[in-house]
Amino acid sequence: MSDYREAFVGIDVAKLRNAIAIADAGQEGEVRFFGEVDASDESMRRVIQRIANRFDRVHFCYEAGPTGYGLHRLIRSLGHECTVVAPSLIPRKPSDRVKTNRRDALGLARLLRAGELTAVWVPDEGHEAMRDLVRARAAAVETLRVHRQHVSAFMLKHGRIFSRKKGWTMRYLCWLQAQQFDHPAHQIALQEMVEAVRISKERAERLERVIEEFVPAWSLAPVVRALQTLRGVDLIVAVTFATEIGDVRRFESPRQLMGYVGLVPGERSTGETVRRGGITKAGNGRVRHMLVESAWTYRHAPKVGAKKLYRLEQAPPGVREIAWKAQARLTARYRMLSGRGKKTTVVCTAIARELVGFMWAVAREAHAT
């Protein structure tokens, strides 16, 4: 046995007990199951120190999941390397139909030693708190959408059609309150659904105010302010991008970031035959959804509105230059693609892909200043 010993530890995390496996260094190194231990911090600290005492260097890994990043921070605080693995990118055999905690831990240890695992970006505690807040607001908006659909479906079922195109305005709410039904149960049902809409809307607005309150004290506040100079990027879009993507400097090029959010076309090519299809839709769906919605604003001619003018005046010269370049290019590209007869959804997706590149440049410029 060599003097320098190295080990690779795979941990299958769970709510109550974690399964641990250890793989010795080298292609022929032994891979063995250590056992299942309590998932508490005290128990894991003892086990980690016990394993570390047997080797000169230890690498740990576990799958990203609902247990969060507490174990990662614990292992790093003890001075060891830890990789949080992307579950969807773990290599698996199609014939492998047996899944147990023991087998998962052994597989993680073996793949970590082989270098076949893909790590996810781990945020710090402050960044994770902001991300949870933004996701709570997104959940509130989704709840509001569902409650509004309930009201619309209820009115459609009873043949009550609003005469105007735009709904959920003050005029629409007054129209709802003026509706009368023969049976009192229908009246009560409508009032309860309208009340659910009101509560959901207040919750979403309350969370949005809290986000606006916490952003100035956040480490990525300069990036959020700089991103808002771009057309179609308001506070919520900028904060969502910053919380979900994190530090854009970890992406070497805009194309790499485009692929991360799933806005690049899929490809199935062989030999001289090249086949490209729709976007991959890989990566973060929250960011991709908001970027496609933001791309819709580029259907208008280039113009700096009053709100954007205020943002531009506060931004560094480099950010202002990128913001105007983005608006001029993307509006022209929107007109060109629409003139070719492309569907609106296809056009917005193409604009969103290029918008990611400009957001990458703006964020890097904000970090530089």
Side-chain angles (χ1 to χ4, degrees):
M1 184 177 295
S2 61
D3 295 334
Y4 180 80
R5 297 189 303 163
E6 189 176 17
F8 300 85
V9 181
I11 306 175
D12 184 65
V13 296
K15 181 174 66 175
L16 299 178
R17 298 182 65 81
N18 297 334
I20 301 176
I22 303 174
D24 293 334
Q27 186 176 0
E28 303 298 331
E30 181 185 2
V31 182
R32 57 193 178 279
F33 184 64
F34 181 83
E36 291 192 0
V37 299
D38 189 72
S40 63
D41 289 348
E42 295 79 7
S43 178
M44 288 303 301
R45 186 187 300 271
R46 290 195 301 268
V47 171
I48 292 168
Q49 292 176 345
R50 179 181 172 185
I51 295 174
N53 291 335
R54 300 181 181 179
F55 303 93
D56 297 325
R57 187 177 182 182
V58 185
H59 305 262
F60 294 87
C61 75
Y62 69 94
E63 295 183 33
T67 56
Y69 304 108
L71 180 58
H72 174 271
R73 298 188 181 104
L74 173 63
I75 295 174
R76 293 297 299 269
S77 67
L78 296 175
H80 307 293
E81 297 181 9
C82 181
T83 302
V84 183
V85 182
S88 60
L89 301 180
I90 296 177
R92 290 186 173 88
K93 297 179 181 179
S95 59
D96 192 0
R97 303 297 180 89
V98 179
K99 185 182 185 304
T100 63
N101 296 343
R102 178 191 180 100
R103 290 171 65 93
D104 288 346
L106 291 170
L108 286 173
R110 187 179 294 107
L111 291 171
L112 178 63
R113 183 181 63 184
E116 297 293 333
L117 297 176
T118 302
V120 301
W121 179 73
V122 179
D124 57 30
E125 294 184 1
H127 191 109
E128 187 178 10
M130 282 297 300
R131 187 170 67 179
D132 290 341
L133 183 60
V134 172
R135 289 183 177 180
R137 186 259 174 193
V141 172
E142 177 63 19
T143 302
L144 174 60
R145 184 189 65 82
V146 172
H147 288 163
R148 284 179 171 178
Q149 284 183 341
H150 291 167
V151 175
S152 300
F154 181 83
M155 300 306 292
L156 178 61
K157 183 176 66 173
H158 291 279
R160 311 294 176 92
I161 308 299
F162 188 54
S163 59
R164 297 177 180 267
K165 292 184 178 180
K166 190 174 181 180
W168 296 107
T169 60
M170 184 57 66
R171 189 188 299 271
Y172 180 78
L173 293 175
C174 293
W175 175 78
L176 285 178
Q177 297 298 331
Q179 298 301 307
Q180 298 292 331
F181 293 90
D182 296 334
H183 201 290
H186 286 155
Q187 199 73 40
I188 295 174
L190 176 61
Q191 290 301 125
E192 288 291 340
M193 286 187 283
V194 172
E195 183 67 12
V197 170
R198 184 188 64 81
I199 295 174
S200 300
K201 184 179 180 181
E202 290 179 353
R203 178 189 172 205
E205 293 174 347
R206 184 168 58 251
L207 286 170
E208 188 169 343
R209 289 193 298 268
V210 173
I211 291 172
E212 189 174 0
E213 176 185 350
F214 279 104
V215 163
W218 187 28
S219 60
L220 293 182
V223 176
V224 174
R225 288 194 297 267
L227 289 174
Q228 292 181 73
T229 60
L230 295 166
R231 170 183 274 191
V233 180
D234 58 5
L235 174 65
I236 297 302
V237 176
V239 173
T240 302
F241 181 87
T243 54
E244 298 294 341
I245 300 301
D247 191 352
V248 298
R249 291 174 293 184
R250 61 195 179 101
F251 299 98
E252 299 179 357
S253 65
R255 188 178 297 273
Q256 188 178 3
L257 180 56
M258 295 173 190
Y260 179 79
V261 297
L263 284 172
V264 295
E267 183 174 351
R268 295 182 64 87
S269 301
T270 176
E272 298 181 356
T273 304
V274 178
R275 296 188 181 93
R276 292 190 177 91
I279 59 174
T280 60
K281 295 185 180 180
N284 197 296
R286 295 180 179 88
V287 175
R288 184 171 61 251
H289 172 74
M290 282 198 164
L291 291 177
V292 173
E293 286 189 346
S294 298
W296 176 247
T297 61
Y298 288 92
R299 67 189 186 278
H300 303 295
K303 180 183 177 182
V304 177
K307 293 183 179 180
K308 289 299 178 184
L309 180 61
Y310 174 74
R311 295 292 182 186
L312 289 168
E313 289 179 349
Q314 293 182 322
V319 173
R320 292 198 299 266
E321 182 179 354
I322 297 172
W324 177 249
K325 181 180 178 181
Q327 188 170 167
R329 173 177 171 79
L330 296 182
T331 52
R333 185 158 177 79
Y334 193 100
R335 292 194 302 271
M336 181 190 68
L337 293 174
S338 299
R340 292 181 179 178
K342 299 289 186 180
K343 294 182 180 180
T344 304
T345 53
V346 176
V347 174
C348 289
T349 303
I351 298 301
R353 179 169 59 249
E354 293 200 21
L355 179 60
V356 171
F358 285 108
M359 296 178 77
W360 176 86
V362 167
R364 290 178 69 91
E365 185 70 22
H367 279 294
T369 57

